[in-house]
Amino acid sequence: MATADPSTAPRSTDPADLLDVAVSLARAAGELVRDGRRQGLGDIDTKSTPTDLVTTMDTASERLLVAELARLRPGDSVMGEEGGERAGSTGVRWLVDPIDGTVNYVYGIPEYAVSVAAEAAGEVVAGAVFNPESAELFSAHLGGGAFLGDRPLRGSDPASLALSLVGTGFSYDARRRADQARVLAGVLPRVRDIRRIGSAALDLCAVAAGRFDAYYEAGLHLWDYAAGALIAREAGAVFTVVPGAHDLLVAAAPAIAGPLVDLLVELGATA
Ligand code: IPD
């Protein structure tokens, strides 16, 4: 992992420089939300549906991320989960998820993360995912490999789909969940087992770390997966987007990526 001081390279589009910024911001925002959680939850609101939560700390974390990006990277554009948009002129865009796994955060389950990714000329070139509860920092820049802290990551190499541990996630929309449950019922008998952690960013990092053999979910937003998908790819996983009414994302060990995508498409996972 590169170590340059982010403040020395405000206009660089070098992926290693962008990664340094992503890492420092993910850490700072992660520490803010972790410390905030210890002082109580504050207000909890709902967004797209009554099960889709947003806390005071989601908003505070995004505010910190947007303000720090304005300071460290003036001129870059920003897109955040909680609406923190800023237009820019440099060709670099930051995709930030201030708390991925908000439901876990609310319930005190230590599986949530801050996700920060940088896109240059439309391609994600750097990403950091920080779980402040476990202090695990996952990171990657394009062509530079993936890391957990300083340790290089390599995904798993399962013998077959039938012997694979597969993560997934669900929408907040009840009707879509019914469809996702139908797909899941078709996948479950065909794999070793299923996990639902509750943070897409951490799911993708689990593929990178070989903790999952694969992960799939339809209907995610860019900020949920931009950093994690790069980290999974840099760890050797295959990352596929199957377009559909809801784009299906699959990150998988190379040997099972094709069979898993085929199975999910056959089960109608993009509907
Ligand atoms: C959610 C989590 C969850 C996934 C949902 C996402 P949020 O993000 O990543 O694991 O299944 O689709 O919306 O709402 O916690 O930022």
Side-chain angles (χ1 to χ4, degrees):
M1 219 170 54
T3 52
D5 173 0
S7 61
T8 61
R11 268 178 290 276
S12 166
T13 55
D14 182 328
D17 292 333
L18 296 173
L19 179 57
D20 286 341
V21 175
V23 163
S24 74
L25 294 192
R27 271 192 192 286
E31 282 157 13
L32 176 84
V33 300
R34 181 201 58 206
D35 295 349
R37 180 69 179 77
R38 289 181 185 154
Q39 282 154 34
L41 266 172
D43 293 336
I44 303 175
D45 234 319
T46 59
K47 295 193 289 183
S48 58
T49 73
T51 54
D52 185 4
L53 305 178
V54 58
T55 70
T56 309
M57 291 314 291
D58 287 84
T59 320
S61 171
E62 186 157 310
R63 216 180 301 119
L64 177 146
L65 292 167
V66 173
E68 279 297 281
L69 283 169
R71 189 175 70 83
L72 296 169
R73 300 280 316 181
D76 291 355
S77 58
V78 182
M79 181 170 83
E81 177 175 16
E82 309 310 336
E85 292 268 349
R86 200 182 62 220
S89 54
T90 60
V92 172
R93 179 168 74 150
W94 295 88
L95 306 160
V96 303
D97 192 338
I99 302 181
D100 186 58
T102 302
V103 173
N104 286 345
Y105 182 74
V106 168
Y107 280 75
I109 298 169
E111 297 292 343
Y112 63 87
V114 176
S115 174
V116 179
E119 234 179 32
E123 183 181 21
V124 177
V125 296
V129 173
F130 181 55
N131 174 346
E133 297 289 344
S134 64
E136 287 189 318
L137 173 75
F138 298 89
S139 67
H141 70 73
L142 196 62
F147 294 84
L148 169 48
D150 288 335
R151 183 164 66 81
L153 291 177
R154 203 69 211 154
S156 67
D157 185 18
S160 66
L161 183 57
L163 298 180
S164 293
L165 187 62
V166 178
T168 191
F170 308 118
S171 157
Y172 289 114
D173 177 80
R175 230 186 35 216
R176 288 209 40 233
R177 281 184 176 188
D179 290 335
Q180 290 175 322
R182 236 182 338 266
V183 171
L184 184 63
V187 173
L188 189 51
R190 306 281 297 272
V191 300
R192 183 189 295 279
D193 209 341
I194 288 286
R195 293 290 180 270
R196 198 295 195 243
I197 301 287
S199 161
L202 291 177
D203 289 327
L204 287 159
C205 293
V207 174
R211 297 171 184 173
F212 288 174
D213 299 307
Y215 163 73
Y216 76 89
E217 184 166 348
L220 285 173
H221 297 284
L222 200 47
W223 51 73
D224 293 315
Y225 71 84
L230 177 65
I231 293 165
R233 277 199 289 131
E234 286 292 327
V238 173
F239 179 72
T240 311
V241 180
V242 186
H246 300 283
D247 288 356
L248 168 68
L249 311 186
V250 182
I256 61 160
L260 180 58
V261 169
D262 290 348
L263 174 64
L264 290 165
V265 168
E266 184 188 311
L267 292 167
T270 58

